[in-house]
Amino acid sequence: QISDSRTPVLTRYSRICFDKSEIHVDGKPMADLVHPAHPLMAALIDLVLDDLQRTMREGAVLLDPTDEGTDPSLLLLVDHAIREGDGDKVRHISRRIQFVRADAGGDMRFAGWAPHLDLKPLDPADLARVQPLLAQPWLASGVEARAVRHAAAMLAPQHYDEVRNRRERQVDRTRSAVQQRLTREINYLSTQAAKLDMEVAAGRQPRVQPVQLRRRAEELAARLDTRNRELDAMSHVVSATPVLVGGALVVPAGFERGILRGEQG
């Protein structure tokens, strides 16, 4: 399996680590530092998503212990990707899970970067008590499609702008460095070839023939052209359509306590 970094996953790693301080350890082979962009981690994430994505789409019912209200809401997970290149050479350069909160009144809003971390699973007994919430009409009124449209209109453009601006700065710096280095080398070779032409015209036989330097300059010019085309492809970034990947019905703590009080009464 190949990660988006174009680096293959090896069949065997002598050592891996998750902290830079563990890369070099006396008496042990150098370790691969595993991070989100490492091909091994990217492959593992792909496998987990392939295995569990259907479960994510089935959804969950979670408790918000910090919400004293009584109105449930829907937390939807939308996957948004930015791609680079064109034709057959297209790859993801950024993927972001965006969270959209929807309520029964039709309000849609950005739910934060990791709102699920504040939520908890319901106790089995409480889960049975809140089952009637799943039959509420607003949950079947096209709320998922509206959440995706909200993400496409309000959240995806910000993600796209961040990635595009970062990529443009990267491409501009790289293009400037490549242009400067190769142009300097091409000019140097052309100048040396001209000097050697004068030596040949004067009847001297230089150790390097001018045609060799010109051929080398032409090769560098071709490389510069190829590199510029590659950089053009890198600067061509496209925002993909957001895709719904999961969701959860969020039950506020106030609602849950209201149910318990009703039963005790």
Side-chain angles (χ1 to χ4, degrees), residues 73-76 78 99-112 138-139 141-155 244:
S73 62
L74 193 61
L75 181 66
L76 295 165
V78 180
F99 295 88
V100 177
R101 179 88 68 170
D103 60 29
D107 181 54
M108 297 279 174
R109 63 187 184 279
F110 175 55
W138 71 276
L139 293 175
S141 64
V143 63
E144 295 180 354
R146 293 198 302 275
V148 171
R149 290 197 296 270
H150 176 83
M154 306 301 295
L155 305 181
L244 184 70

Side-chain angles (χ1 to χ4, degrees), residues 82-99:
I82 307 295
R83 304 185 182 118
E84 74 166 10
D86 49 23
D88 297 330
K89 297 181 179 180
V90 176
R91 72 183 187 105
H92 288 159
I93 58 172
S94 179
R95 292 183 68 181
R96 178 179 293 176
I97 293 294
Q98 300 172 319
F99 295 88

Side-chain angles (χ1 to χ4, degrees), residues 42-78:
L44 178 60
I45 291 172
D46 288 343
L47 289 173
V48 171
L49 287 176
D50 288 344
D51 188 43
L52 299 178
Q53 198 161 33
R54 179 176 299 178
T55 302
M56 289 177 62
R57 285 193 60 83
E58 289 176 356
V61 181
L62 301 174
L63 173 70
D64 186 348
T66 66
D67 187 353
E68 295 300 326
T70 58
D71 296 325
S73 62
L74 193 61
L75 181 66
L76 295 165
L77 287 68
V78 180

Side-chain angles (χ1 to χ4, degrees), residues 172-243:
D172 288 344
R173 287 196 301 267
T174 304
R175 194 189 301 275
S176 177
V178 169
Q179 188 80 26
Q180 183 178 11
R181 179 175 60 84
L182 292 182
T183 299
R184 183 172 61 244
E185 185 68 15
I186 290 169
N187 291 338
Y188 172 78
L189 292 171
S190 299
T191 300
Q192 292 301 108
K195 291 180 180 178
L196 293 178
D197 282 337
M198 290 188 290
E199 289 188 21
V200 172
R204 292 189 293 272
Q205 191 65 14
R207 287 185 302 173
V208 178
Q209 294 299 312
V211 66
Q212 292 177 287
L213 297 185
R214 290 195 174 90
R215 185 179 302 117
R216 176 60 178 160
E218 291 172 357
E219 291 172 354
L220 291 180
R223 183 193 298 180
L224 178 59
D225 183 63
T226 299
R227 194 72 180 100
N228 278 326
R229 288 198 302 270
E230 291 174 350
L231 291 170
D232 288 340
M234 286 181 61
S235 64
H236 182 69
V237 295
V238 178
S239 177
T241 301
V243 178

